[in-house]
Amino acid sequence: MIRIIVVFVLAALAWLPSRADIGDPLVVRDPLYGDVLFHFYTGNYFDALVRLSAAQQADKLTFHDDEAELLRGGLLLSYGQHTEAARVFDQLLAANTSPETRDRTWFFLAKIRYQRGFVAEAGAALEAIGDDLPKELEAERRMLHSQVLIKQARFADAIELLDGWKGPRGWIDYSRYNLGVALVRAGEFAEGARWLDRVGRLKDKREELRALRDKANLALGYTWLQNEQPDLAKPILQRVRLNGAFSSKALLGVGWADSDRGDYRQALVPWTNLAQRNLLDPAVQESLLAVPYALGKLNATRQSASQYEDAIRAFDNEQARLRTAIDNINTGQMLERLLTSTEERNEDGWFWELESLPDATENRYLYHLMATHRFQEALKNYRDVLQLRANLASWKDRVQIFRNIIDTRTAGYAQRLPQIESVLDRADLDALDSERQRLQTSLDEIVAQADVIALAPKRQQQLDAELRDFTDRPVLRYRSAEIDDIKTRLRLMQGVLQWQAEKDFDARVWHQRKQIGDIHRILVSAKRARAVVDDTRVSEPERLVDFDTRVTMLTPQIDQMLVKVERSLQRQRDYLHGLATEELEAQYARLATYTVQARFALAAVYDRATAASNDAGSTGAQP
């Protein structure tokens, strides 16, 4: 049930107005939030809560502020932090949600609190609900509110809430039962009996309503018994099913109804049947005294005495077992056995619950207590504190690992620093940048002068130089047909060479500019890297010292938290042991009371038998 309720709470809150469509998938935009969700959906709720809190403190959840805070509230709620969770939900709901979502959320929070025994807190959550709760939840809200009011002894408020209410089929029967109980406890017996009787005559075959019918008949029957109306009580108590959860107390009440009417022989029928049941049931224990009481009223002195003696032996044996069980609890083994029986399950938070009990002497007396929300929640808290202690112990071991990592990084930095400094000293980035600027200037002059040969391949530059050198020779200054032919060929060759250089000039200029640009970018990047390296040379030792200081401080912090955890663990252990011991001591005291009553009754039987024997003897001695 807790699992379902929390899912509904998160569903009610998860779709804040920033989400356009309830069917849209969640897109994780902050990596750390994705890490939190991974741990959450894999069931590691403690790790999810720790990582979420750390990410929020570091302001790393820019895109998921509301959803992260919502998840934190749900996780806090699962670990029993109701006040803090309510504060988180209240802040989110006041700012971000519709009235309907707000009312729905407070309803489920109230339900969780009530189931965990926080009645006052449940009432506060119910008071926070407005008029926008969905209709399908309104009936259940009214029933929950009435139960809270009855537990707070505010019977008049409960009556006002339920009187005249017309709810849906099924819920109306619960409202009539609660109304009847409130009226009876408020002193209006006749009106309360009318409503309880109506519920006690239900014909519905659903098991939950059949159980409600038995409960109503039992409450009404004992109401009439307390008001000295056994004739009205008996037929109502006989409506209770013999195989139901309330059958033992109903059988006991039927017997007392017959006894109050003076029909002790008829009272023996339900009481004798009841006496054969499990002695751990208080109704069965009382029947062990009721049977000899009825026999005594029927003047069956011997049978009455025998039954009292059997009851005393049964009570003594059970008290001895109870004392052993109490001693076992005081040794501190109970909790270890309980948790060991479920240690294979790794669930925590709201998903964990005690499903089975180990075979131990004390457990046979604690079934009722262990089924209560009070004990279950206390046991969950104890288990959570145990896990917290294990987590802190694990982190204490990790501190030494962190220290080793820091030592390794410090030694590695000291070892690599001379090599880094040597490389940096050889790298003259300013000189390289000056050379780049010179190349850029030279290229600009080549483009301005259209010196196509300057960017030509080396072979073409050599040919151009050879042609120029040949053209400048003195012999070519003479005029003759042969020399003119040579000059013509030279000009043709120079023209071809110029044409080839001009054809690829633009591409070569672009290529050169690209290379110079690449050099510029590399130098800029190198200068930045150099600045980072220079900063790191200064900051890295400081960072390592800072890390070492923080890691060194972790150990005493963890030790302090471990001390607090141990105190909390001891308090929770004492509380659980106190609950169990209180339950067993109450059973022991009840059995002790019954034993005393049985001994006094047995003594009274012996006295009456002795007196009757003496009277008979005296009568026989007279002439």
Side-chain angles (χ1 to χ4, degrees):
M1 178 59 71
I2 294 297
R3 179 193 300 261
I4 297 172
I5 293 174
V6 173
V7 168
F8 273 112
V9 169
L10 295 178
L13 287 165
W15 305 107
L16 301 174
S18 59
R19 300 292 297 278
D21 187 352
I22 194 171
D24 292 343
L26 173 63
V27 177
V28 177
R29 301 175 65 185
D30 292 318
L32 289 181
Y33 188 60
D35 181 52
V36 170
L37 290 180
F38 171 79
H39 287 281
F40 174 74
Y41 286 117
T42 54
N44 299 318
Y45 306 115
F46 182 80
D47 288 341
L49 182 57
V50 171
R51 292 169 186 269
L52 177 58
S53 299
Q56 286 180 320
Q57 290 182 7
D59 196 21
K60 297 294 186 181
L61 302 179
T62 307
F63 298 102
H64 299 280
D65 285 342
D66 288 339
E67 290 163 308
E69 188 68 0
L70 163 66
L71 183 59
R72 188 173 75 90
L75 290 170
L76 288 170
L77 183 65
S78 75
Y79 280 100
Q81 302 297 316
H82 301 277
T83 303
E84 183 62 25
R87 186 180 299 112
V88 171
F89 290 142
D90 197 19
Q91 291 174 353
L92 283 173
L93 293 174
N96 296 301
T97 58
S98 65
E100 179 179 341
T101 302
R102 174 184 171 82
D103 287 351
R104 183 193 297 267
T105 302
W106 281 119
F107 165 73
F108 284 116
L109 287 176
K111 191 169 182 178
I112 292 172
R113 290 174 174 179
Y114 181 79
Q115 288 198 341
R116 294 184 173 182
F118 300 105
V119 178
E121 291 81 357
L126 288 167
E127 294 293 340
I129 298 176
D131 299 325
D132 297 286
L133 193 68
K135 291 182 179 180
E136 63 270 17
L137 298 178
E138 175 59 31
E140 188 176 0
R141 181 203 67 81
R142 191 175 293 264
M143 292 305 97
L144 180 61
H145 200 178
S146 67
Q147 291 171 331
V148 169
L149 292 173
I150 290 173
K151 281 187 174 293
Q152 294 176 328
R154 297 167 56 186
F155 306 121
D157 293 334
I159 294 170
E160 181 181 359
L161 179 67
L162 296 173
D163 193 18
W165 179 65
K166 304 295 183 182
R169 183 174 177 268
W171 288 110
I172 191 64
D173 298 315
Y174 287 98
S175 74
R176 290 167 178 167
Y177 173 80
N178 288 340
L179 179 58
V181 170
L183 286 166
V184 168
R185 294 187 181 180
E188 301 181 29
F189 298 106
E191 184 66 13
R194 184 173 70 84
W195 287 109
L196 289 174
D197 183 63
R198 190 168 180 179
V199 178
R201 296 178 182 275
L202 287 175
K203 301 299 183 182
D204 201 301
K205 293 184 179 180
R206 286 176 292 179
E207 180 57 32
E208 61 271 20
L209 290 181
R210 294 173 72 184
L212 179 66
R213 181 184 65 199
D214 289 345
K215 191 174 182 181
N217 285 321
L218 186 68
L220 180 57
Y222 271 88
T223 297
W224 288 129
L225 281 177
Q226 292 168 1
N227 284 274
E228 299 180 355
Q229 297 286 342
D231 291 330
L232 296 176
K234 181 176 179 179
I236 292 173
L237 290 170
Q238 287 178 324
R239 297 176 190 169
V240 179
R241 293 173 297 167
L242 287 176
N243 59 346
F246 306 99
S247 61
S248 293
K249 197 167 183 180
L251 286 172
L252 183 65
V254 169
W256 283 121
D258 288 327
S259 175
D260 290 347
R261 293 166 54 244
D263 191 350
Y264 300 106
R265 188 176 302 278
Q266 185 62 36
L268 282 172
V269 176
W271 283 345
T272 303
N273 180 297
L274 184 58
Q276 307 303 316
R277 298 192 176 188
N278 192 335
L279 185 58
L280 298 182
D281 191 329
V284 176
Q285 296 169 4
E286 188 172 343
S287 71
L288 294 183
L289 297 179
V291 169
Y293 166 78
L295 290 171
K297 290 293 185 178
L298 294 172
N299 295 320
T301 304
R302 182 175 299 176
Q303 294 91 328
S304 177
S306 176
Q307 289 289 335
Y308 276 127
E309 291 172 350
D310 291 343
I312 292 171
R313 281 194 295 272
F315 292 155
D316 287 341
N317 292 336
E318 205 61 38
Q319 283 179 279
R321 296 191 189 98
L322 276 168
R323 183 50 58 191
T324 301
I326 293 172
D327 293 339
N328 288 344
I329 291 175
N330 292 333
T331 62
Q333 299 178 2
M334 179 189 73
L335 295 178
E336 283 67 23
R337 283 197 290 263
L338 287 178
L339 295 179
T340 301
S341 67
T342 56
E343 64 182 0
E344 70 278 2
R345 300 174 61 207
N346 295 320
E347 295 176 346
D348 57 6
W350 64 69
F351 291 115
W352 185 83
E353 60 184 3
L354 182 66
E355 292 184 341
S356 60
L357 295 178
D359 185 14
T361 304
E362 65 273 14
N363 290 340
R364 66 192 297 262
Y365 301 103
L366 297 175
Y367 279 99
H368 175 72
L369 174 65
M370 291 181 180
T372 63
H373 290 294
R374 180 177 62 164
F375 187 88
Q376 287 283 342
E377 288 305 311
L379 187 61
K380 287 180 184 179
N381 292 338
Y382 180 76
R383 185 176 184 267
D384 290 341
V385 177
L386 278 178
Q387 291 180 339
L388 182 59
R389 184 179 66 177
N391 185 274
L392 288 173
S394 174
W395 274 105
K396 190 172 182 179
D397 294 337
R398 295 181 192 180
V399 168
Q400 186 57 45
I401 297 175
F402 291 151
R403 188 179 300 281
N404 294 338
I405 292 174
I406 293 173
D407 292 341
T408 302
R409 291 189 62 177
T410 301
Y413 175 78
Q415 181 179 1
R416 292 191 297 271
L417 183 60
Q419 302 174 4
I420 294 173
E421 291 178 340
S422 175
V423 172
L424 292 177
D425 291 341
R426 293 197 303 268
D428 192 348
L429 297 180
D430 293 335
L432 292 174
D433 191 54
S434 297
E435 180 64 19
R436 180 200 64 78
Q437 294 177 359
R438 188 191 66 77
L439 291 174
Q440 180 67 52
T441 302
S442 176
L443 179 62
D444 292 340
E445 291 176 354
I446 291 172
V447 173
Q449 297 173 5
D451 188 1
V452 297
I453 296 300
L455 296 182
K458 183 179 291 187
R459 178 56 183 164
Q460 290 183 355
Q461 291 179 355
Q462 290 176 351
L463 288 175
D464 181 73
E466 290 176 359
L467 289 173
R468 290 179 184 278
D469 180 66
F470 196 82
T471 302
D472 291 339
R473 291 184 179 183
V475 68
L476 295 180
R477 296 175 184 171
Y478 296 99
R479 298 184 61 85
S480 67
E482 185 177 355
I483 290 176
D484 290 340
D485 182 59
I486 292 174
K487 289 181 177 180
T488 300
R489 292 185 180 186
L490 287 173
R491 285 195 299 272
L492 179 60
M493 293 174 63
Q494 287 177 335
V496 171
L497 189 62
Q498 184 74 16
W499 177 82
Q500 290 177 342
E502 288 181 354
K503 181 185 67 172
D504 298 328
F505 181 69
D506 290 340
R508 289 167 181 164
V509 169
W510 178 87
H511 183 69
Q512 290 296 322
R513 290 192 187 280
K514 180 178 180 300
Q515 287 186 324
I516 293 173
D518 291 343
I519 293 172
H520 176 67
R521 284 188 291 273
I522 292 172
L523 287 174
V524 170
S525 177
K527 288 180 179 180
R528 290 175 180 171
R530 175 63 178 268
V532 172
V533 171
D534 290 340
D535 290 342
T536 302
R537 291 166 66 184
V538 176
S539 63
E540 184 65 13
E542 297 177 353
R543 288 177 66 250
L544 291 174
V545 171
D546 180 60
F547 284 147
D548 184 68
T549 302
R550 290 167 59 186
V551 169
T552 301
M553 293 174 59
L554 284 176
T555 298
Q557 291 177 359
I558 292 175
D559 288 338
Q560 292 176 3
M561 287 188 285
L562 280 171
V563 171
K564 294 180 180 178
V565 166
E566 286 295 342
R567 291 174 182 169
S568 298
L569 199 61
Q570 186 60 49
R571 286 196 297 268
Q572 197 67 18
R573 185 186 296 114
D574 293 342
Y575 176 70
L576 284 165
H577 285 165
L579 288 179
T581 303
E582 180 183 355
E583 173 71 17
L584 296 188
E585 290 287 2
Q587 295 183 32
Y588 187 91
R590 184 173 62 247
L591 286 173
T593 300
Y594 287 158
T595 301
V596 171
Q597 293 176 358
R599 292 187 186 279
F600 274 110
L602 181 60
V605 170
Y606 287 153
D607 288 342
R608 289 195 300 271
T610 302
S613 176
N614 291 336
D615 291 343
S618 299
T619 303
Q622 293 177 356

